[in-house]
Amino acid sequence: MGHSAFQVSACAFNKGKLKVLGTAFDPFLGGKNFDEKLVDHFCAEFKTKYKLDAKSKIRALLRLYQECEKLKKLMSSNSTDLPLNIECFMNDKDVSGKMSRAQFEELCAELLQKIDTPLRWLMEQTQLKAEDVSAVEIIGGATRIPAVKEKIAKFFGKDVSTTLNADEAVARGCALQVLPSPLPFLRAQAPNYFSSFHCSGRQSTGASPLHKPRRPWREEGPQM
């Protein structure tokens, strides 16, 4: 689960080879949806408490989004009440609020319920059972939310693994997918170049398209 979407895949490993058995996703379930829940909560609180409408000014709303994202990350490692303070939020007024992990999970209960849907789709597509899955690896920044981990672990009936870096794993996978191989380009430019080499690694006597004969060096002297 990343910033904007939730994707699941079932993969089989056999003799060092990977085969994707099936995939499922929810394009409307990600970290930004949890941020929006916090933003809506504090917008309503500030409107009642300070008579300020944060959604009327884009700059104030962006600052609130940034602070809510920081608060979400802090709640992943702390279960106590955590403060949210913004100086000069609107009209030179300072605002403050607080949120605990239990309140956050209650606020996002609807989003947490949506986690099971792609998982059920995947199991139906691959005709697998929970006991057939030997390991569950989770990646993506939003998987650091404890409630998300608990929902996935409860569905499969086993602890989830976090051996991979939650952020780098996605970036490296995308880079490998879009990285083009240089071999097709080289073959197109020089179709006979690769055939001009023997298995021993020595070049044949046939001239290749990329080979330019070197002229012997000759010292220029006075002509007689």
Side-chain angles (χ1 to χ4, degrees):
M1 182 182 293
H3 178 68
S4 59
F6 177 42
Q7 303 171 355
V8 291
S9 300
C11 304
F13 291 91
N14 184 20
K15 296 181 180 180
K17 296 182 179 180
L18 181 145
K19 181 180 179 181
V20 179
L21 303 179
T23 59
F25 67 95
D26 186 346
F28 305 105
L29 179 61
K32 69 175 184 179
N33 301 102
F34 292 90
D35 296 342
E36 290 173 356
K37 288 291 185 180
L38 288 173
V39 170
D40 292 340
H41 170 78
F42 285 110
C43 279
E45 181 178 331
F46 294 161
K47 192 171 185 178
T48 304
K49 189 176 180 181
Y50 299 101
K51 307 299 181 183
L52 297 175
D53 185 8
K55 294 185 178 181
S56 63
K57 290 188 177 181
I58 186 64
R59 182 177 180 181
L61 186 61
L62 290 176
R63 291 186 63 192
L64 183 58
Y65 264 100
Q66 294 175 353
E67 295 299 325
C68 286
E69 185 178 3
K70 294 178 183 178
L71 181 64
K72 180 189 67 175
K73 294 178 180 180
L74 290 174
M75 285 188 291
S76 297
S77 56
N78 296 276
S79 58
T80 58
D81 290 345
L82 295 174
L84 182 141
N85 301 310
I86 306 177
E87 296 181 356
C88 298
F89 182 62
M90 288 179 64
N91 303 330
D92 294 332
K93 288 185 179 181
D94 301 338
V95 296
S96 62
K98 62 180 181 179
M99 176 75 66
S100 66
R101 184 191 296 177
Q103 292 174 327
F104 174 65
E105 293 177 356
E106 183 180 355
L107 190 67
C108 301
E110 181 181 356
L111 296 176
L112 296 173
Q113 292 296 328
K114 295 173 64 176
I115 294 177
D116 290 346
T117 303
L119 297 176
R120 287 197 300 266
W121 289 347
L122 180 65
M123 304 305 283
E124 293 174 0
Q125 178 185 354
T126 57
Q127 297 181 353
L128 294 173
K129 298 180 180 179
E131 53 268 19
D132 297 331
V133 179
S134 58
V136 180
E137 183 76 30
I138 58 175
I139 58 175
T143 57
R144 293 189 177 96
I145 301 175
V148 174
K149 292 181 182 179
E150 293 174 3
K151 290 290 292 185
I152 299 175
K154 184 178 179 180
F155 181 88
F156 289 102
K158 55 174 60 70
D159 294 335
V160 296
S161 176
T162 56
T163 56
L164 298 176
N165 186 293
D167 300 311
E168 290 183 0
V170 179
R172 291 186 179 187
C174 294
L176 291 175
Q177 288 294 326
V178 302
L179 180 65
S181 174
L183 293 180
F185 173 77
L186 292 176
R187 289 194 179 100
Q189 296 296 324
N192 300 323
Y193 179 71
F194 291 93
S195 62
S196 63
F197 287 87
H198 296 294
C199 296
S200 61
R202 296 181 179 179
Q203 190 174 3
S204 64
T205 55
S208 65
L210 299 182
H211 177 71
K212 294 183 178 179
R214 298 182 60 185
R215 296 181 179 179
W217 178 82
R218 183 180 63 181
E219 183 178 0
E220 296 183 358
Q223 298 181 359
M224 301 298 293

